[in-house]
Amino acid sequence: MSKKITTIGGQALLEGIMMVGPQRTVAAFCSEKGEISTEEITSPRLTKKYPILGKPFIRGIFSLIDSFRLGYKALSLSADKITEDTGEEEEPSKLDQWLTDHLGDKLTGVIMGVAGVLGVALAILLFFLLPTVLFNLLEGAVPADISGWRSVFEGFLRIAIFLGYVVLVSRVPDIHRTFQYHGAEHKTIFCYENDLPLTVENVRKQGRFHPRCGTSFLTLMLLLGIIVGFFIPFSNPFLRTFAKLLCIPIIMNVGYEVQKACARHEGRLCRVITAPGLWVQRITVKEPDDKMIEAAIAAMEAVIPENGEDLIR
């Protein structure tokens, strides 16, 4: 007899895993010696602090913001753990030393801020501006009227870029290990949902593709973007990009509700909707080793509420 849960999720880290429960958020780490340690992340979630932000068709975007905030804190802890395990600190370069002298404790925040801005700018360029520019060039070179295919062309190009990026980064050893922790997260949640004791043996038997995965959410957003694109009349790359950016909160909130509904039900329509995301998870979710599973179990056990408020009634 399986049970449905709604308020427990996870996130893979560098050499660790984070589980988010209704009351606690805990990160578990596995050292090079195989020792498992846990640490609670005390940052309050926006959707808990301001209940109105947790309402349907509003909570999607704020849940994602919470995920980024908590994930950033957990990744920082993970990086610190790796440094502690190696016990080695590289000699800073002259540039690093100059930045440290002038920015001090603000250095990490500044670097993350600059990296975030550059990342957003690159995403806008690749996923919004580039597809429109390429379609305009194609439309000018083809004598037939293909304007009705604009949204389809742009949407599938975005999906191709996304898949290409994911496949490329999966070749990096550290990212591959992160994807293995991703698998440990999914398998552990499945084990809990199937009402089985959280042991390595039980977790190992579970599937690794979960319908509530962030990869599925991103895939669903890309597909919903194709539908929304049909209603954006602009062909100018900058106007069209601006309009798409304005639509992102709508797409995120609708996608979040669709994903939650599909996680609760098992009808044919839900299986069709979740199928593309589950397929993409074949790239982002890998089979974990036993120590990764132990870390996921440690994090999971720490966030399971005693009152059962994570269960869907």
Side-chain angles (χ1 to χ4, degrees), residues 210-225:
H210 201 288
R212 292 203 314 275
C213 175
T215 300
S216 291
F217 178 67
L218 289 174
T219 305
L220 181 58
M221 281 186 60
L222 291 170
L223 294 173
L224 287 174

Side-chain angles (χ1 to χ4, degrees), residues 78-90:
S78 181
D80 291 340
K81 292 288 184 181
I82 293 173
T83 302
E84 290 175 7
D85 288 342
T86 59
E88 297 179 358
E89 292 188 9
E90 295 183 0

Side-chain angles (χ1 to χ4, degrees), residues 131-251:
T132 301
V133 170
L134 291 180
F135 185 85
N136 287 351
L137 293 174
L138 179 64
E139 191 176 32
V142 176
D145 182 14
I146 59 171
S147 57
W149 293 93
R150 175 183 291 277
S151 185
V152 175
F153 174 87
E154 294 176 352
F156 278 97
L157 183 57
R158 284 195 296 271
I159 292 173
I161 293 172
F162 171 67
L163 291 177
Y165 169 77
V166 172
V167 170
L168 184 63
V169 299
S170 68
R171 306 285 183 176
V172 180
D174 286 343
I175 301 299
H176 182 81
R177 284 186 60 79
T178 302
F179 287 170
Q180 287 182 285
Y181 276 107
H182 198 179
E185 170 214 331
H186 285 189
K187 283 174 170 285
T188 304
I189 290 177
F190 268 132
C191 188
Y192 176 60
E193 287 181 323
N194 290 329
D195 213 13
L196 295 171
L198 293 175
T199 65
V200 173
E201 292 76 15
N202 287 337
V203 171
R204 172 67 64 192
K205 298 174 184 177
Q206 307 304 311
R208 72 179 197 265
F209 308 129
H210 201 288
R212 292 203 314 275
C213 175
T215 300
S216 291
F217 178 67
L218 289 174
T219 305
L220 181 58
M221 281 186 60
L222 291 170
L223 294 173
L224 287 174
I226 296 176
I227 298 173
V228 172
F230 282 112
F231 300 96
I232 298 177
F234 308 114
S235 59
N236 180 280
F238 298 101
L239 285 177
R240 191 168 179 83
T241 296
F242 182 69
K244 288 178 183 176
L245 292 174
L246 292 179
C247 291
I248 286 179
I250 299 173
I251 296 174

Side-chain angles (χ1 to χ4, degrees), residues 7 33 55 102 125 131 134 148 150 164-165 185 210-211 259 284:
T7 53
K33 298 178 181 179
K55 299 296 182 182
H102 287 77
L125 175 65
L134 291 180
R150 175 183 291 277
Y165 169 77
E185 170 214 331
H210 201 288
Q259 187 178 47
T284 65

Side-chain angles (χ1 to χ4, degrees), residues 20-21 25 49 52 60 79 104 123-124 135 139 149 169 177 194 207 237-238 242 252 293 297 303:
V20 182
T25 298
K49 189 175 182 180
I52 192 173
I124 292 174
F135 185 85
E139 191 176 32
W149 293 93
V169 299
R177 284 186 60 79
N194 290 329
F238 298 101
F242 182 69
M252 290 176 62
I293 292 176
I297 290 174
V303 302

